[in-house]
Amino acid sequence: RHRETVDKSSAPVRLFSPAGTPAQHFAQIGWVGEGVAAPGAKTMWTAEGAKLTPQTPVTLRWTNTTGQTYTIRYAVDADYMITATQSVANTGAAPVVVRPFALVNRTEKTSSVDTWQLHSGPIGAFDGSVNFDNNYSTVAEAPGGAIALRGVSNWIGFTDIYWLSALIPDAGAKAESAFRALGKGIYRADLIYPTVSVAPGKVQSQNVRLFAGAKENSVLEKYEAAGVSNFSFSIDWGWFSWFEKPIFWLLDSIFNKVGNFGLAIILLTLVVRGVMFPIAQRQFASMAAMRALQPKMKALQERYKDDKQTQQQKIMELYKEEKVNPLAGCLPIFLQIPVFFALYKVLTLTIEMRHQPFVLWIK
């Protein structure tokens, strides 16, 4: 749904690219075999299904020489979520032990800039809390180039300002997770499951989901409602998320009415200014009252210029007599700071207004 440039005829945004390409960024799902052959990155699979669409899943199948058949069934929905079902069927004479895994591998060279207000880099949710603590440099500088994550892994991957690639294990899966630096600007997010023993004649299966796409708030909230913990907070709302989400909702609602994001931003600004007007009015009134007191204050300062303590006492008495609070003009400013910071943040991080037209040539 998103294009590389403002030109509507430009190519769709390409998030993933194969290993070895300048924009390397891919996911891999597989197994590590313990004493048994398992498929690897160069395995030639047999594909059942010609094209992966929401209506047509694709299954990859490979059989080793000792009677174990590995299959991965890929299904994709109408948005950006792929569900991969991993299965191992053992038709051999003895039990086999395998360890399923999933990973996202990417170069940092194509990542967006990581700033104090917009996180770009490793990301994940653990025990229901989104972790923004790591970036590419902290992973590279970690002992052994790896950071093991503690807690139950809800999802793990990499984020840019607008895009996300993340692995989501099934609820209850006891998967270990980690970020790793592989050198030359390549990083990996790992999801490693406990080993399983597959008896002769048995099949072992599990699901893992892969989100690879745009961080559209409505899409993320849909997955969140379906059980992906705090998925909408992969958008770096920051400290004022409790306030930014309503502002974004209002902006998006206005856009749906007027059909133009530039106009929606103008109308939203007017709404916010209107809501903040009583506070601003108190600020202006306080400033006017302080200006009116300036002649009397200067007279007191001149009269008691050699006695600072008495001067301060008389000025405070003046404030009390005139019923003026010198801090009243500051409080409205502090109340407005989070409001306008939240408005700025919403305009910065939401993909919904990326490449939207305003008027004439302006987008």
Side-chain angles (χ1 to χ4, degrees), residues 301 304 307-317:
Q301 289 168 350
Y304 300 104
D307 187 349
K308 295 297 182 182
Q309 185 175 352
T310 304
Q311 181 188 109
Q312 289 299 319
Q313 183 180 343
K314 294 296 183 181
I315 290 174
M316 294 306 295
E317 290 175 358

Side-chain angles (χ1 to χ4, degrees), residues 28-29 91 176 185 192 209 251 309:
Q28 184 180 347
I29 295 167
T91 59
E176 299 174 2
I192 304 173
R209 284 178 288 175
L251 176 63
Q309 185 175 352

Side-chain angles (χ1 to χ4, degrees), residues 176-216:
E176 299 174 2
S177 53
F179 296 118
R180 301 181 190 279
L182 306 181
K184 298 183 179 179
I186 303 296
Y187 294 83
R188 204 172 73 196
D190 291 342
L191 204 59
I192 304 173
Y193 294 87
T195 56
V196 293
S197 178
V198 186
K202 299 295 183 179
V203 178
Q204 184 274 335
S205 297
Q206 69 178 38
N207 291 330
V208 62
R209 284 178 288 175
L210 168 68
F211 181 91
K215 295 196 293 187
E216 299 167 6

Side-chain angles (χ1 to χ4, degrees), residues 29-47:
I29 295 167
W31 299 261
V32 175
E34 296 189 5
V36 62
K42 297 182 179 181
T43 294
M44 293 295 292
W45 298 77
T46 299

Side-chain angles (χ1 to χ4, degrees), residues 115 117-118 161-162 235-236 251 265 341-351 353-354:
T115 67
Q117 61 165 344
L118 287 175
I161 294 176
Y162 293 137
I235 299 173
D236 188 7
L251 176 63
I265 292 169
F341 178 77
L343 177 59
Y344 165 75
K345 190 82 179 281
V346 165
L347 300 181
T348 306
L349 56 75
T350 49
I351 193 174
M353 65 189 74
R354 177 181 180 267

Side-chain angles (χ1 to χ4, degrees), residues 37 84 101 124 167 211 214 219 227 240 253 291 328 347:
F101 72 85
L167 297 164
F211 181 91
V219 171
F240 301 111
S253 299
R291 282 196 300 269
L347 300 181

Side-chain angles (χ1 to χ4, degrees), residues 204-285:
Q204 184 274 335
S205 297
Q206 69 178 38
N207 291 330
V208 62
R209 284 178 288 175
L210 168 68
F211 181 91
K215 295 196 293 187
E216 299 167 6
N217 185 65
S218 60
V219 171
L220 298 176
E221 287 188 339
K222 179 188 74 173
Y223 294 131
E224 188 172 283
V228 184
S229 180
N230 281 331
F231 208 44
S232 66
F233 287 90
S234 60
I235 299 173
D236 188 7
W237 298 104
W239 296 337
F240 301 111
S241 60
W242 56 274
F243 199 70
E244 289 167 23
K245 280 201 166 192
I247 286 182
F248 171 74
W249 173 85
L250 180 58
L251 176 63
D252 200 44
S253 299
I254 295 173
F255 168 70
N256 290 331
K257 296 290 185 183
V258 302
N260 184 295
F261 252 115
L263 181 57
I265 292 169
I266 293 170
L267 294 174
L268 174 66
T269 306
L270 293 175
V271 169
V272 171
R273 290 298 296 181
V275 171
M276 300 299 295
F277 179 74
I279 297 175
Q281 189 179 35
R282 290 190 62 182
Q283 179 186 355
F284 298 147

